[in-house]
Amino acid sequence: MLAFVPVTLDLYRSVRRHLHWTLQNLVAFADRTGRCFPSVRTLAAATGQPRSTVSRHLAKLAEEGVITRRRRPGGVYAYVIASRFLPAARGVSHRREKGVPPPGREEQAGKKTGFAQARFAKSGISFGEMPDERAKWQARLRGWRKSRFWLPLWGPKPTEAGCFAPLDVLATGG
């Protein structure tokens, strides 16, 4: 997590010497606006100092006006570092690649929703609500012609002998 943070040391002359290392580690966690949210335990691990020492240093830095801290729910603090202690916002020496692409939307026109709607006879009526057996057999035969789908429950396939579909529906082509 720690990275090299270029800081002008003249700025640190106004801060007591024993607080420098804690402040530098806190700056390493900060974003460009100076906000950061590390726990005392995380800062203690980063600085190599006991938690009580880090906690005391943070209280001193807040007292001197170097940082402001606000207690958040759960007993953690949100810190804002004074802008004069933040590294200068310089550009990078190389062009950055794009980050994570924006999330796609599920309801895109290019999806296969049009195909799914075209497979069924009427979009507002489910198969069980079809009024008569003739309409059901027409829908089944239409499905058979498009995709060769046939349930064993419907009896023999239209190409087989003994098909249960009415002869007039078979003859008209569904």
Side-chain angles (χ1 to χ4, degrees), residues 57-81:
H57 286 185
L58 290 170
K60 273 287 194 201
L61 288 168
E63 184 181 306
E64 292 181 8
V66 176
I67 63 170
T68 57
R69 65 182 188 166
R70 184 174 48 92
R71 192 173 180 98
R72 294 171 46 194
V76 295
Y77 284 94
Y79 305 98
V80 179
I81 302 169

Side-chain angles (χ1 to χ4, degrees), residues 2-56:
L2 285 179
F4 174 70
V5 181
V7 177
T8 307
L9 293 177
D10 291 339
L11 294 174
Y12 280 77
R13 288 192 179 155
S14 63
V15 179
R16 293 185 180 176
R17 182 173 292 264
H18 67 282
L19 303 176
H20 287 192
W21 185 235
T22 304
L23 178 58
Q24 283 182 341
N25 280 279
L26 193 61
V27 167
F29 285 100
D31 62 5
R32 289 183 179 159
T33 61
R35 295 180 304 154
C36 56
F37 316 101
S39 65
V40 172
R41 181 175 294 175
T42 304
L43 276 173
T47 60
Q49 298 173 336
R51 289 182 302 203
S52 59
T53 302
V54 170
S55 183
R56 198 170 51 251

Side-chain angles (χ1 to χ4, degrees), residues 74-120:
V76 295
Y77 284 94
Y79 305 98
V80 179
I81 302 169
S83 61
R84 66 181 188 271
F85 294 102
L86 295 175
R90 298 185 185 107
V92 293
S93 60
H94 59 283
R95 187 167 196 183
R96 293 185 182 196
E97 294 183 24
K98 288 192 171 202
V100 178
R105 294 190 55 217
E106 288 298 320
E107 300 86 21
Q108 292 179 351
K111 284 201 155 195
K112 298 178 181 178
T113 55
F115 174 72
Q117 290 172 352
R119 288 189 319 185
F120 300 103

Side-chain angles (χ1 to χ4, degrees), residues 113-173:
T113 55
F115 174 72
Q117 290 172 352
R119 288 189 319 185
F120 300 103
K122 293 181 183 176
S123 61
I125 298 176
S126 68
F127 187 77
E129 295 173 344
M130 287 189 167
D132 63 323
E133 289 295 313
R134 181 177 170 79
K136 288 183 181 181
W137 281 109
Q138 287 174 339
R140 290 172 183 161
L141 289 169
R142 225 181 354 266
W144 168 253
R145 288 189 185 89
K146 280 190 173 185
S147 64
R148 293 291 183 210
F149 175 77
W150 195 261
L151 287 176
L153 175 73
W154 300 336
K157 296 178 182 175
T159 56
E160 297 173 357
C163 178
F164 294 161
L167 291 176
D168 59 332
V169 176
L170 276 172
T172 60

